Amino acid sequence: MQQISGGITAPKGFLAAGVCCGLKTVGNDLAIIYSQEPCVAAAVFTSNRFQAAPVSVSKQHLASASAFHAIVANSGCANCATGEQGIRDAQAMAEITAAFLNIPEDSILVASTGKIGTFLSMDKIKAGIRDALSTLNKEGGLAAAEAILTTDSVPKQVAVKLVIQGKQVIIGGIAKGAGMIAPNMATMLAFLTTDAMLSKELLDKMFRNAVNSSFNSITIDGDTSTNDTATILANGASGVVLNESDLDVFQAGLNHICLELATMIVRDAEGATKLLKIHIKNAPNQDMARTIGLSIANSTLVKCALFGADPNWGRILCAIGNAGIDIDLGDIDVYVGQMQLVKNSCAWEFDHAEAHRILSMNEVELTVDLKQGDHEAVVLGCDITTEYVGFNAHYST
Amino acid sequence: MQQISGGITAPKGFLAAGVCCGLKTVGNDLAIIYSQEPCVAAAVFTSNRFQAAPVSVSKQHLASASAFHAIVANSGCANCATGEQGIRDAQAMAEITAAFLNIPEDSILVASTGKIGTFLSMDKIKAGIRDALSTLNKEGGLAAAEAILTTDSVPKQVAVKLVIQGKQVIIGGIAKGAGMIAPNMATMLAFLTTDAMLSKELLDKMFRNAVNSSFNSITIDGDTSTNDTATILANGASGVVLNESDLDVFQAGLNHICLELATMIVRDAEGATKLLKIHIKNAPNQDMARTIGLSIANSTLVKCALFGADPNWGRILCAIGNAGIDIDLGDIDVYVGQMQLVKNSCAWEFDHAEAHRILSMNEVELTVDLKQGDHEAVVLGCDITTEYVGFNAHYST
């Protein structure tokens, strides 16, 4: 696997564009990703029971269509809590694009991010779609990555080149992050493309695997947004149809793209100063490991301690105990970097100054050894800062 | 029901004391509550799977004994993550007290709050127990309430007088709060006393009812501590043995004490500036209502918005959708005070300046009408402030 430059337009056969149509006060706010060749698609959506209109519409299209050609996404408005009008507007985003491209409506997936409870300005959307379609190009990936940002400070894109059956297969992706979005909750959007060909079932399974250990293993503040969408299009333009023996290589590439994008999202979390990488080792199974990791990463107290570089391991044990996991908690070791803080779930002598130094770095690795199984998971989180609270408090809708 | 002055020593036959034995750097830190007459006891403990040593020991005593005489509690050290030594120390707290009073060890319940991962100084504890026993008195309730505080700013006590069978029955209580405890997590301790007489089974059932709608319906930061303990002693000194027909009156008294103490805890939450009272109406059942209320109260985004008095209702819908409750979310109304913010889960025109004014008050009432059933619950929460984050970050263990 080789990481290469570019994002969603790195794989063969994909064009993209990002344009400014006035939904945000500044910057690109409408993105289109397009493949002339029909694509197989897979997607994972928010687990929040409130779902934004574009999530509903994209789900319908994924259920009804077998070939996909484009993703249309906007920032600046989440089109959520907008009722029937919101559904009509999300459908119209697909209809307008389909009419211009002369393709079926349900071959298009839609996504939105931004303010909740406001309606899309469809005049702006229509003009933006026309503008984007007229500028679709092979270098448009970065402009598209910019067009889905809200309070993110940097665009996020990555691509890898794999060699499969002696040929070049590329996977690319863009994402927008989970800093809090003024004035509402974060949306995690990720769009991936690949020029490999594989069945819908296989793409779905492999994409879910990759999402579980990346986008589903990160947390900023524990609030799952109403608009979260991760989707992948595979157009087969590489000429490679994946065989059984190619799956490990492709899965590794997919995992790499998703984990890189997920890491970029956490690094760019609003107000955060530190990335926390939690490694849960020797768990009875991977789900338990991830649940425990997320419980630690979501603990406000752990996040405060991380902000202050305080080796306050009692908060870590407390969060493990609150994870709702039915395992023995009597024998846990906790390390920060290489330094042991807890042995067999009990206090352990360590150098507090050195622990403080390790916790002061902008990337902190925490290891929890449960000693009861051989499964593991890595979860990414961040600190909570006074800046985060201030930002999310003092914006008035 | 009449609220009267005093706390745990208001009911007949209870004495208490609070003394300073040096576990904290300042103030009382060891409390004893005592009844010469044998008591029936009930208790509810933390749901955290990490349990402090005094929790384990008190559970053992509740299982083995049928008559209880005293509660011994200290602040300044949680006696948690202290292994076998911690268990021996918690047992010793009971043994020392029992030896002085010439009563069985298992007639004594123990509790600790304070720093996790440090051992009790048993010399100080022993001297403190002797000191407290020599000063037990009818006005000692307040001193005991002071002795269990950590970062609380005020002692918390309340008592009510009921008339049952023409006689006076009193219930009293003290509690310590759920501000964050330097340097570790909060502990919620609540000790109640009553001079009514009733069976262990009935006391247990009625106490759990009261705890569910009070201490189990509050949240500061979603972290359940390792030491949480709520317990009640009933000594029958009023001469009143409760009949079936008296239960409603007694339950109302018990509920009142628990809810008053729970409200005091939230009001005194560290760094918090506002009490948030969430009323979930017309739910399919009470558990669902409470779960939804707690999901809102625990949302960092909702807490930030409350801090900033921002009528950011999208965060409320998002938290409802994240509660993991399988109900229809299409028809929800949300009010702050009397002002409607959301109608049928959609955006609704309201006066933002007026909503901001309501949210700026130090007690905010939020009503969520689910319109699918006739059950309800009230949950108490608070805002998250820059002060909270700063305090809990910059304490270095």
Side-chain angles (χ1 to χ4, degrees), chain B residues 164-165 206 240-251:
Chain B
I164 297 179
Q165 299 166 19
M206 298 178 88
V240 175
V241 179
L242 296 185
N243 291 327
E244 190 67 33
S245 62
D246 306 324
L247 299 185
D248 285 353
V249 174
F250 189 75
Q251 183 77 64

Side-chain angles (χ1 to χ4, degrees), chain B residues 26-249:
Chain B
V26 64
N28 289 347
D29 49 21
L30 192 130
I32 296 184
I33 304 163
Y34 173 68
S35 168
Q36 191 170 15
E37 295 301 314
C39 298
V40 172
V44 179
F45 297 100
T46 179
S47 61
N48 193 309
R49 286 180 54 84
F50 268 112
Q51 301 200 335
V55 169
S56 301
V57 169
S58 289
K59 281 184 172 177
Q60 284 167 15
H61 290 187
L62 278 160
S64 65
S66 55
F68 297 85
H69 284 281
I71 298 168
V72 183
N74 72 277
S75 55
C77 171
N79 191 9
C80 181
T82 44
E84 289 302 316
Q85 182 64 47
I87 296 288
R88 284 194 293 273
D89 289 346
Q91 285 167 337
M93 283 174 71
E95 283 163 15
I96 294 163
T97 312
F100 279 120
L101 290 168
N102 198 26
I103 54 175
E105 280 165 41
D106 63 0
S107 74
I108 294 170
L109 301 172
V110 292
S112 297
T113 177
K115 184 170 177 172
I116 210 174
T118 59
F119 294 97
L120 281 173
S121 168
M122 292 309 293
D123 288 347
K124 291 177 180 173
I125 290 280
K126 188 170 182 177
I129 290 172
R130 183 168 16 199
D131 191 13
L133 289 175
S134 69
T135 56
L136 281 173
N137 71 93
K138 196 63 198 159
E139 273 72 48
L142 181 59
E146 288 166 350
I148 59 173
L149 303 182
T150 51
T151 56
D152 304 58
S153 65
V154 289
K156 298 165 182 69
Q157 63 173 359
V158 62
V160 292
K161 185 170 77 179
L162 311 171
V163 177
I164 297 179
Q165 299 166 19
K167 293 183 183 163
Q168 177 176 289
V169 167
I170 295 176
I171 314 175
I174 62 174
K176 75 153 298 263
M180 298 327 305
I181 290 168
N184 274 299
M185 74 281 296
T187 296
M188 202 283 303
L189 296 182
F191 304 129
L192 275 71
T193 53
T194 179
D195 48 21
M197 181 46 66
L198 64 171
S199 71
K200 186 178 178 179
E201 291 67 32
L202 203 51
L203 184 64
D204 190 72
K205 182 182 164 197
M206 298 178 88
F207 191 51
R208 280 176 195 278
N209 282 346
V211 167
N212 271 343
S213 56
S214 58
F215 303 120
N216 282 348
S217 293
I218 62 176
T219 181
I220 305 299
D221 47 27
D223 267 310
T224 301
S225 106
T226 51
N227 289 52
D228 287 354
T229 299
T231 184
I232 182 167
L233 299 178
N235 68 359
S238 65
V240 175
V241 179
L242 296 185
N243 291 327
E244 190 67 33
S245 62
D246 306 324
L247 299 185
D248 285 353
V249 174

Side-chain angles (χ1 to χ4, degrees), chain A residues 49 183-184 310 312 327 395, chain B residues 49 183-184 299 310 312 327 395:
Chain A
R49 286 180 54 85
N184 275 300
D310 180 6
N312 201 328
I327 56 170
Y395 185 98
Chain B
R49 286 180 54 84
N184 274 299
S299 161
D310 180 6
N312 201 329
I327 57 172
Y395 184 96

Side-chain angles (χ1 to χ4, degrees), chain A residues 174-221:
Chain A
I174 61 174
K176 74 154 296 260
M180 300 326 303
I181 291 168
N184 275 300
M185 75 281 296
T187 297
M188 200 286 301
L189 297 181
F191 305 128
L192 275 70
T193 53
T194 180
D195 48 21
M197 180 46 68
L198 64 172
S199 71
K200 186 178 177 178
E201 292 67 31
L202 204 51
L203 184 64
D204 190 71
K205 183 182 163 197
M206 297 180 88
F207 191 51
R208 281 176 195 278
N209 282 346
V211 167
N212 272 342
S213 56
S214 58
F215 303 120
N216 282 349
S217 293
I218 62 176
T219 180
I220 305 300
D221 47 26

Side-chain angles (χ1 to χ4, degrees), chain A residues 340-361:
Chain A
Q340 186 157 14
L341 301 185
V342 177
K343 189 178 172 71
N344 296 332
S345 301
C346 272
W348 175 252
E349 286 296 319
F350 61 88
D351 179 343
H352 278 248
E354 175 62 9
H356 180 71
R357 193 193 63 77
I358 297 171
L359 285 161
S360 299
M361 294 188 290

